[in-house]
Coordinates of all heavy atoms in Angstrom, one line a residue:
Chain B
E229 N -3.2 11.2 37.8 CA -4.2 12.1 37.2 C -5.4 11.3 36.7 O -6.5 11.8 36.9 CB -3.6 12.9 36.1 CG -2.8 14.1 36.6 CD -2.1 14.8 35.5 OE1 -2.7 14.9 34.4 OE2 -1.0 15.3 35.7
L230 N -5.1 10.2 36.1 CA -6.2 9.4 35.6 C -7.1 8.9 36.8 O -8.4 9.0 36.7 CB -5.7 8.2 34.8 CG -6.7 7.3 34.2 CD1 -7.5 8.0 33.2 CD2 -6.0 6.1 33.5
A231 N -6.5 8.5 37.8 CA -7.2 8.0 39.0 C -8.1 9.2 39.5 O -9.2 8.9 40.0 CB -6.2 7.5 40.1
E232 N -7.6 10.4 39.5 CA -8.4 11.5 40.0 C -9.6 11.8 39.2 O -10.5 12.4 39.7 CB -7.5 12.8 40.1 CG -6.5 12.7 41.3 CD -5.4 13.7 41.1 OE1 -5.3 14.4 40.1 OE2 -4.5 13.7 42.1
T233 N -9.7 11.3 37.9 CA -10.9 11.5 37.2 C -12.0 10.5 37.5 O -13.1 10.6 37.0 CB -10.6 11.4 35.6 OG1 -10.3 10.0 35.4 CG2 -9.5 12.3 35.2
G234 N -11.7 9.6 38.4 CA -12.7 8.6 38.8 C -12.7 7.3 38.0 O -13.6 6.5 38.1
M235 N -11.6 7.1 37.2 CA -11.6 5.9 36.4 C -11.5 4.7 37.3 O -10.7 4.7 38.3 CB -10.3 6.0 35.5 CG -10.0 4.8 34.6 SD -11.3 4.5 33.4 CE -11.0 5.7 32.2
T236 N -12.2 3.6 36.9 CA -12.0 2.3 37.6 C -10.7 1.7 37.1 O -10.4 1.6 35.9 CB -13.1 1.4 37.2 OG1 -14.4 2.0 37.4 CG2 -13.1 0.1 38.1
M237 N -9.8 1.4 38.1 CA -8.4 0.9 37.7 C -8.0 -0.3 38.4 O -8.2 -0.4 39.6 CB -7.4 2.0 37.9 CG -7.6 3.3 37.0 SD -6.7 4.7 37.6 CE -5.0 4.3 37.3
I238 N -7.4 -1.2 37.7 CA -6.7 -2.3 38.4 C -5.3 -2.3 38.0 O -5.0 -2.3 36.8 CB -7.3 -3.7 38.0 CG1 -8.8 -3.8 38.3 CG2 -6.6 -4.8 38.8 CD1 -9.4 -5.1 38.0
V239 N -4.4 -2.1 38.9 CA -3.0 -1.9 38.6 C -2.1 -3.0 39.2 O -2.1 -3.2 40.4 CB -2.5 -0.5 39.1 CG1 -1.1 -0.3 38.7 CG2 -3.4 0.6 38.6
V240 N -1.4 -3.8 38.4 CA -0.4 -4.7 38.9 C 0.9 -3.9 38.9 O 1.4 -3.5 37.9 CB -0.3 -5.9 38.0 CG1 0.9 -6.8 38.4 CG2 -1.6 -6.7 38.0
T241 N 1.4 -3.8 40.1 CA 2.7 -3.0 40.1 C 3.4 -3.3 41.4 O 2.9 -3.8 42.4 CB 2.4 -1.5 40.1 OG1 3.6 -0.8 40.0 CG2 1.6 -1.0 41.3
H242 N 4.7 -2.9 41.4 CA 5.5 -3.0 42.6 C 5.8 -1.6 43.2 O 6.6 -1.5 44.1 CB 6.8 -3.7 42.3 CG 6.7 -5.2 42.0 ND1 7.2 -5.7 40.8 CD2 6.0 -6.1 42.6 CE1 6.8 -7.0 40.8 NE2 6.1 -7.3 41.9
E243 N 5.2 -0.6 42.6 CA 5.4 0.8 43.1 C 4.5 1.0 44.3 O 3.3 1.4 44.2 CB 5.0 1.8 42.0 CG 5.9 1.7 40.7 CD 7.3 2.1 41.1 OE1 7.5 2.9 42.0 OE2 8.2 1.6 40.4
M244 N 5.1 0.7 45.5 CA 4.3 0.8 46.7 C 3.9 2.2 47.0 O 2.8 2.4 47.7 CB 5.0 0.1 47.8 CG 5.1 -1.4 47.6 SD 3.5 -2.2 47.5 CE 3.6 -3.0 45.9
G245 N 4.7 3.2 46.6 CA 4.3 4.6 46.9 C 3.0 4.9 46.1 O 2.1 5.6 46.7
F246 N 2.9 4.4 44.9 CA 1.7 4.6 44.1 C 0.5 4.0 44.8 O -0.6 4.5 44.9 CB 1.9 4.0 42.7 CG 0.7 4.1 41.8 CD1 0.4 5.2 41.1 CD2 -0.1 3.0 41.7 CE1 -0.7 5.3 40.3 CE2 -1.2 3.0 40.9 CZ -1.5 4.2 40.2
A247 N 0.7 2.7 45.3 CA -0.3 2.0 46.0 C -0.8 2.8 47.2 O -2.1 2.9 47.4 CB 0.2 0.6 46.4
R248 N 0.1 3.3 48.0 CA -0.3 4.1 49.2 C -1.2 5.3 48.8 O -2.2 5.6 49.5 CB 0.9 4.6 49.9 CG 1.5 3.6 50.9 CD 2.7 4.3 51.6 NE 3.5 3.3 52.3 CZ 3.3 2.9 53.5 NH1 2.2 3.4 54.1 NH2 4.1 2.0 54.0
T249 N -0.7 6.1 47.8 CA -1.4 7.3 47.5 C -2.7 7.1 46.7 O -3.6 7.9 46.9 CB -0.5 8.3 46.8 OG1 0.1 7.6 45.7 CG2 0.6 8.9 47.7
V250 N -2.8 6.1 45.9 CA -3.9 6.1 44.9 C -4.9 5.0 45.2 O -6.1 5.2 45.0 CB -3.3 5.9 43.5 CG1 -4.4 5.7 42.5 CG2 -2.5 7.1 43.1
A251 N -4.4 3.9 45.7 CA -5.3 2.7 45.8 C -6.4 2.9 46.8 O -6.2 3.5 47.9 CB -4.5 1.5 46.1
D252 N -7.6 2.4 46.5 CA -8.6 2.2 47.5 C -8.4 0.9 48.3 O -8.8 0.7 49.4 CB -10.0 2.2 46.8 CG -10.3 3.5 46.2 OD1 -10.1 4.5 46.8 OD2 -10.8 3.5 45.0
R253 N -7.8 -0.1 47.5 CA -7.7 -1.4 48.1 C -6.4 -2.0 47.5 O -6.1 -1.8 46.3 CB -8.9 -2.3 47.7 CG -9.0 -3.5 48.5 CD -10.3 -4.2 48.3 NE -11.2 -3.9 47.2 CZ -11.9 -4.9 46.5 NH1 -11.7 -6.1 46.8 NH2 -12.7 -4.5 45.6
V254 N -5.6 -2.6 48.4 CA -4.4 -3.3 47.9 C -4.6 -4.8 48.1 O -5.1 -5.3 49.1 CB -3.2 -2.9 48.7 CG1 -1.9 -3.6 48.1 CG2 -3.0 -1.4 48.6
I255 N -4.3 -5.6 47.0 CA -4.5 -7.0 47.1 C -3.2 -7.7 47.0 O -2.3 -7.3 46.1 CB -5.4 -7.5 45.9 CG1 -6.8 -6.9 46.1 CG2 -5.4 -9.0 45.7 CD1 -7.7 -7.2 44.9
F256 N -2.9 -8.6 47.8 CA -1.7 -9.4 47.8 C -2.0 -10.8 47.3 O -2.8 -11.5 47.8 CB -1.0 -9.4 49.2 CG 0.2 -10.3 49.2 CD1 1.3 -10.0 48.5 CD2 0.2 -11.5 49.9 CE1 2.5 -10.8 48.5 CE2 1.3 -12.3 49.9 CZ 2.4 -12.0 49.2
M257 N -1.3 -11.2 46.2 CA -1.5 -12.5 45.7 C -0.2 -13.4 45.9 O 0.9 -12.8 45.8 CB -1.8 -12.5 44.2 CG -3.2 -12.0 43.9 SD -3.5 -12.1 42.1 CE -3.6 -13.9 41.9
D258 N -0.4 -14.6 46.1 CA 0.8 -15.5 46.1 C 0.3 -16.9 45.7 O -0.8 -17.3 46.2 CB 1.4 -15.6 47.5 CG 2.8 -16.2 47.4 OD1 3.3 -16.5 46.3 OD2 3.4 -16.5 48.5
G259 N 1.0 -17.6 44.9 CA 0.7 -19.0 44.5 C -0.7 -19.1 43.9 O -1.4 -20.1 44.0
G260 N -1.1 -18.0 43.2 CA -2.4 -18.1 42.4 C -3.6 -17.8 43.3 O -4.7 -18.0 42.9
E261 N -3.4 -17.4 44.6 CA -4.5 -17.1 45.4 C -4.4 -15.7 45.9 O -3.4 -15.1 46.0 CB -4.5 -18.0 46.7 CG -4.8 -19.4 46.4 CD -4.7 -20.3 47.7 OE1 -3.6 -20.7 48.0 OE2 -5.8 -20.4 48.3
I262 N -5.6 -15.1 46.2 CA -5.6 -13.8 46.9 C -5.4 -14.1 48.4 O -6.2 -14.8 49.0 CB -6.9 -13.1 46.7 CG1 -7.1 -12.7 45.2 CG2 -7.0 -11.8 47.6 CD1 -8.4 -12.0 44.9
I263 N -4.2 -13.6 48.9 CA -3.9 -14.0 50.3 C -4.5 -13.0 51.3 O -5.0 -13.3 52.3 CB -2.4 -13.9 50.5 CG1 -1.7 -14.9 49.5 CG2 -2.0 -14.3 51.9 CD1 -2.0 -16.4 49.8
E264 N -4.5 -11.7 50.8 CA -4.9 -10.7 51.7 C -5.3 -9.5 51.0 O -4.7 -9.1 49.9 CB -3.7 -10.3 52.7 CG -4.1 -9.3 53.7 CD -3.0 -9.2 54.8 OE1 -2.1 -10.0 54.8 OE2 -3.1 -8.2 55.6
Q265 N -6.4 -8.7 51.4 CA -6.7 -7.5 50.8 C -7.2 -6.5 51.8 O -7.9 -6.9 52.7 CB -7.7 -7.6 49.6 CG -8.9 -8.5 49.9 CD -9.8 -8.6 48.7 OE1 -10.1 -7.6 48.1 NE2 -10.3 -9.8 48.5
N266 N -6.8 -5.3 51.6 CA -7.2 -4.3 52.7 C -7.0 -2.9 52.1 O -6.4 -2.7 51.0 CB -6.3 -4.5 53.9 CG -7.1 -4.2 55.2 OD1 -8.0 -3.5 55.2 ND2 -6.7 -4.9 56.2
A267 N -7.5 -1.9 52.8 CA -7.2 -0.5 52.5 C -5.7 -0.3 52.6 O -5.0 -0.9 53.5 CB -7.9 0.5 53.4
P268 N -5.0 0.6 51.9 CA -3.6 0.7 51.8 C -2.9 0.9 53.2 O -1.9 0.3 53.5 CB -3.3 1.8 50.9 CG -4.6 2.4 50.5 CD -5.6 1.5 50.8
D269 N -3.5 1.8 54.0 CA -2.9 2.1 55.3 C -2.8 0.8 56.2 O -1.8 0.4 56.7 CB -3.8 3.1 56.1 CG -3.4 4.5 55.7 OD1 -2.3 4.6 54.9 OD2 -4.1 5.5 56.0
A270 N -4.0 0.1 56.3 CA -4.0 -1.1 57.1 C -3.1 -2.2 56.4 O -2.4 -2.9 57.1 CB -5.5 -1.6 57.1
F271 N -3.1 -2.2 55.1 CA -2.3 -3.2 54.4 C -0.8 -3.1 54.7 O -0.2 -4.0 55.0 CB -2.6 -3.2 52.9 CG -1.8 -4.2 52.1 CD1 -2.3 -5.5 51.9 CD2 -0.6 -3.9 51.5 CE1 -1.6 -6.4 51.2 CE2 0.1 -4.8 50.8 CZ -0.4 -6.1 50.6
F272 N -0.4 -1.9 54.6 CA 1.1 -1.7 54.8 C 1.5 -1.6 56.2 O 2.6 -2.1 56.6 CB 1.5 -0.4 54.1 CG 1.5 -0.5 52.6 CD1 0.6 0.2 51.8 CD2 2.4 -1.3 51.9 CE1 0.6 0.1 50.4 CE2 2.4 -1.4 50.5 CZ 1.5 -0.7 49.8
N273 N 0.6 -1.0 57.1 CA 1.0 -0.8 58.4 C 0.8 -2.1 59.3 O 1.4 -2.3 60.3 CB 0.3 0.4 59.0 CG 0.7 1.7 58.3 OD1 1.8 1.7 57.7 ND2 -0.2 2.6 58.3
N274 N -0.2 -2.8 58.9 CA -0.7 -3.9 59.8 C -1.0 -5.1 59.0 O -2.1 -5.6 59.0 CB -1.9 -3.4 60.5 CG -2.2 -4.3 61.7 OD1 -1.4 -5.2 62.0 ND2 -3.4 -4.1 62.2

Side-chain angles (χ1 to χ4, degrees):
Chain B
E229 276 175 38
L230 181 64
E232 283 163 359
T233 67
M235 178 64 76
T236 312
M237 292 164 72
I238 306 182
V239 184
V240 172
T241 186
H242 294 126
E243 295 295 331
M244 290 302 126
F246 176 82
R248 267 182 200 277
T249 48
V250 174
D252 296 313
R253 196 167 15 140
V254 180
I255 292 176
F256 174 68
M257 285 185 73
D258 194 10
E261 288 179 278
I262 293 178
I263 303 292
E264 182 167 351
Q265 46 180 317
N266 218 331
D269 277 350
F271 179 85
F272 287 111
N273 299 335
N274 192 13

